[in-house]
Amino acid sequence: MKPVVHIVDDDESYRTATARLLSAHGLRVEVHESGDQFLARLPACEPGCVLLDLQMPGQSGLQIQLRLRELAPLLPVVFLTGEGDMKASVEAMKAGAKDFLEKSSTTAALMEAIDRALIQYERQRAEYDRLQAHRALVARLSPREGEVFRFLIRGHLNKQIAHALGISERTVKVHRHQVMEKLGVRSAAEAVSIAANIGFDLGPPRP
């Protein structure tokens, strides 16, 4: 799916001019006259980025940015403003804005900011998809397999796991094999990598 650049600005002349400029550069563009309108139309999983005006009637650009962190955290934000407000710039960048540009910035600067934002989206999307895939794999484990997995990624040997869980080493080996099969890994190191990626809560091992 071709990414879309969302222009959120209450200035109709600026919205129109910027949309024409970006369209002429081959970008897919959608315009919104307010933050509320943008949020109401917000697509769930559409790739792209947001050019967000700082000062608008209703919710400000910073308020919309905070809402986006909840509703569409993968969408990078590039702030555009005629204010030149350094304090707002610092707040926006701390909250995760990709760039903060004056509306008088050159076309080259704007295009570079959009390129960086779209690259960021693709990187974050790939990381998010990998995270979701790993979570889905771990969710397939049975309760007992989950226990074995927890000990496995902490480096425990089969004998130690068997003692901790009160089962035979043979049973541990069977569960361990099932864990590796369901996770699609060939080594404990790969299982550890999956656990690290999803922030798996190991918890204290049983005595």
Side-chain angles (χ1 to χ4, degrees):
M1 181 183 297
K2 188 175 182 179
V4 58
V5 179
H6 296 275
I7 302 174
V8 186
D9 197 304
D10 64 305
D11 185 333
E12 183 178 2
S13 61
Y14 182 81
R15 278 199 318 269
T16 302
T18 304
R20 288 175 178 170
L21 173 66
L22 300 185
S23 296
H25 280 77
L27 294 172
R28 181 180 165 208
V29 181
E30 290 189 10
V31 296
H32 314 271
E33 64 183 22
S34 70
D36 291 329
Q37 183 187 83
F38 168 55
L39 293 178
R41 299 176 179 176
L42 186 65
C45 302
E46 192 172 46
C49 67
V50 185
L51 300 184
L52 185 59
D53 188 20
L54 180 63
Q55 301 292 346
M56 296 180 291
Q59 295 191 69
S60 69
L62 289 174
Q63 290 174 314
I64 296 300
Q65 181 189 23
L66 293 178
R67 291 289 289 140
L68 283 175
R69 291 176 64 181
E70 301 173 5
L71 302 175
L74 297 182
L75 276 181
V77 172
V78 176
F79 271 107
L80 294 171
T81 180
E83 300 283 328
D85 189 332
M86 183 56 67
K87 180 181 178 180
S89 173
V90 172
E91 289 182 19
M93 298 300 279
K94 284 183 176 180
K98 185 59 183 173
D99 271 301
F100 196 100
L101 300 176
E102 296 279 353
K103 286 186 177 180
S104 58
S105 296
T106 65
T107 298
L110 176 59
M111 296 305 299
E112 287 174 4
I114 292 173
D115 286 343
R116 287 192 296 269
L118 293 179
I119 290 172
Q120 179 190 16
Y121 175 87
E122 290 300 327
R123 182 174 65 251
Q124 291 184 162
R125 181 81 237 184
E127 292 173 355
Y128 176 81
D129 288 345
R130 183 168 57 252
L131 173 63
Q132 293 301 99
H134 286 169
R135 284 176 173 168
L137 290 174
V138 173
R140 295 176 57 201
L141 301 179
S142 69
R144 178 62 85 185
E145 289 165 354
E147 291 180 312
V148 172
F149 175 59
R150 182 168 62 249
F151 281 98
L152 171 65
I153 60 182
R154 292 176 67 96
H156 288 74
L157 302 176
N158 289 345
K159 182 178 181 179
Q160 295 172 310
I161 298 174
H163 176 73
L165 298 181
I167 57 179
S168 69
E169 283 190 58
R170 180 182 178 85
T171 301
V172 170
K173 290 179 181 179
V174 171
H175 287 311
R176 183 170 181 148
H177 176 74
Q178 289 298 320
V179 168
M180 304 290 271
E181 284 286 315
K182 288 184 177 181
L183 297 182
V185 299
R186 296 182 179 181
S187 68
E190 290 179 276
V192 170
S193 178
I194 288 178
N197 187 42
I198 66 175
F200 192 76
D201 183 9
L202 301 178
R206 293 184 183 183

